[in-house]
């Protein structure tokens, strides 16, 4: 029995040094409240946007109607490019069997999900359900810092009063894009020479059961693949109604003559 392990890793630290003599930042793309920029002195492909208005304790500050409010200024959320990538490859062999599998991951990036934003906007996420029947008192404080006591009527909830306030904030739709995946698995059997002796023109043969993208072992992006990216080139960190990843399973037969 033998077990061979190989590891690899890459760390990337980016910084925008200069855009031009006239400007220090460049807006590349804007989608549903998220603004993708290149900013001098910041990491490459930076994501900014507005947030829900909160106090120093992190409590939401609601208006006189008991509804959330947007903060006036843009907030820096981080880069859409992963800073660290790592992988581990394993080969376990016993007699004529070889089991190989690889696990890899990427860490340290942010991703804005337009899928979540649009589902929320249309009232299709579970988070939009509270208050549709009996109204709701949202957690938070009023302008004076006192606990909110204003109930939003069910009719207002059903006509998306809360949704319309929150949909332009990035908070609810920005996720940590770190992930770990079981990338490849293969189980190979090498036919012994005693079996092949009767067929003299065959020098060797193997049969393998193989699979790719079999499982996501860790992610922070509910319902979407953290590895997806709707943009290209300088614009990274946007997921936009992406298709789910494909899991492939098959059989390979290799014959040497």
């Amino acid at each position: 029995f033998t077990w061979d392990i190989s590891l690899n890793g890459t760390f990337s630290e980016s910084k925008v040094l200069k855009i031009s003599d006239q400007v220090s930042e460049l807006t590349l793309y804007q989608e549903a409240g998220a603004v993708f920029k290149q900013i001098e002195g910041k990491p490459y492909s930076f994501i900014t946007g507005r947030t829900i208005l909160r106090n120093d304790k992190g409590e939401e500050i609601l208006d006189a109607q008991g509804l959330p409010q947007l903060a006036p200024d843009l907030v820096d959320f981080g880069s859409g490019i992963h800073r660290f990538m790592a992988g581990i490859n394993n080969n376990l062999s016993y007699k004529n069997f070889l089991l190989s599998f690889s696990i890899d991951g990427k860490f340290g990036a942010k991703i804005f999900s337009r899928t979540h934003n649009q589902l929320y906007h249309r009232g299709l996420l579970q988070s939009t359900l509270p208050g549709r029947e009996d109204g709701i008192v949202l957690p938070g404080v009023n302008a004076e810092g006192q606990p909110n006591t204003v109930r939003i009527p069910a009719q207002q909830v059903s006509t998306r009063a809360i949704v319309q306030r929150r949909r332009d904030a990035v908070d609810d739709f920005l996720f940590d894009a770190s992930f770990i995946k079981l990338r490849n698995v293969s189980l190979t059997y090498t036919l012994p020479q005693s079996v092949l002796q009767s067929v003299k023109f065959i020098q060797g043969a193997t049969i393998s059961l193989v699979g790719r993208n079999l499982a996501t072992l860790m992610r922070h992006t509910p319902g979407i693949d953290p590895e997806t990216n709707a943009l290209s080139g300088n614009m990274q960190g946007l997921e936009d109604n992406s298709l789910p990843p494909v899991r492939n399973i098959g059989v390979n037969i290799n014959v040497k003559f």
Side-chain angles (χ1 to χ4, degrees):
F1 174 78
T2 61
W3 186 351
D4 297 326
I5 301 177
S6 62
L7 303 171
N8 63 80
T10 302
F11 179 78
S12 175
E13 186 72 45
S14 65
K15 183 178 181 179
V16 178
L17 299 180
K18 187 176 181 63
I19 295 176
S20 75
D21 294 332
Q22 288 74 37
V23 296
S24 60
E25 64 178 56
L26 178 64
T27 298
L28 300 173
Y29 192 77
Q30 185 167 352
E31 181 63 60
V35 185
F36 297 82
K37 294 183 175 184
Q38 304 293 7
I39 305 174
E40 288 184 6
K42 297 288 187 180
Y44 196 69
S45 192
F46 216 61
I47 303 173
T48 68
R50 298 173 70 182
T51 66
I52 295 298
L53 185 64
R54 293 180 172 86
N55 60 21
D56 294 337
K57 298 179 181 179
E59 299 170 316
E60 294 188 4
I61 301 175
L62 308 176
D63 65 11
Q65 297 178 295
L67 292 168
Q69 307 175 83
L70 286 179
D73 301 321
L74 293 179
V75 174
D76 296 339
F77 290 104
S79 174
I81 297 178
H82 294 93
R83 298 180 64 194
F84 181 65
M85 295 176 283
I88 178 171
N89 299 303
N90 297 267
N91 292 301
L92 294 83
S93 61
Y94 178 71
K95 294 184 178 180
N96 289 28
F97 289 94
L98 173 63
L99 174 64
S100 301
F101 64 93
S102 62
I103 298 173
D104 62 56
K106 296 181 180 181
F107 311 90
K110 299 292 185 181
I111 188 169
F112 177 80
S113 174
R114 188 170 182 271
T115 299
H116 276 260
N117 179 273
Q118 291 300 302
L119 290 175
Y120 185 83
H121 172 66
R122 290 168 171 77
L124 298 176
L125 288 183
Q126 185 176 358
S127 58
T128 65
L129 294 177
R132 290 190 185 184
E133 294 185 359
D134 304 317
I136 189 173
V137 178
L138 294 177
V141 297
N142 58 27
E144 288 73 37
Q146 300 300 316
N148 175 52
T149 58
V150 179
R151 176 173 292 275
I152 303 172
Q155 182 181 2
Q156 277 189 273
V157 176
S158 298
T159 55
R160 303 186 302 167
I162 302 174
V163 168
Q164 290 175 7
R165 292 293 184 93
R166 300 192 71 94
R167 66 184 179 188
D168 292 328
V170 177
D171 309 45
D172 300 334
F173 318 112
L174 188 79
F175 303 99
D176 179 356
S178 302
F179 67 87
I180 300 174
K181 290 187 175 184
L182 177 60
R183 187 69 67 180
N184 296 296
V185 176
S186 66
L187 178 62
T188 301
Y189 178 71
T190 302
L191 273 67
Q193 288 299 318
S194 59
V195 175
L196 300 176
Q197 286 178 351
S198 59
V199 188
K200 295 182 179 181
F201 59 88
I202 296 180
Q203 302 299 314
T206 62
I207 182 170
S208 303
L209 178 64
V210 298
R212 178 170 175 79
N213 287 333
L214 295 180
T216 300
L217 305 178
M218 184 272 287
R219 69 175 180 179
H220 307 287
T221 52
I224 62 171
D225 180 17
E227 200 172 10
T228 188
N229 193 71
L231 304 176
S232 61
N234 295 326
M235 300 175 291
Q236 303 290 316
L238 173 67
E239 182 277 331
D240 188 356
N241 298 305
S242 58
L243 295 174
V246 177
R247 180 183 295 117
N248 297 309
I249 299 175
V251 176
N252 287 340
I253 298 176
N254 190 325
V255 179
K256 296 180 181 180
F257 296 99

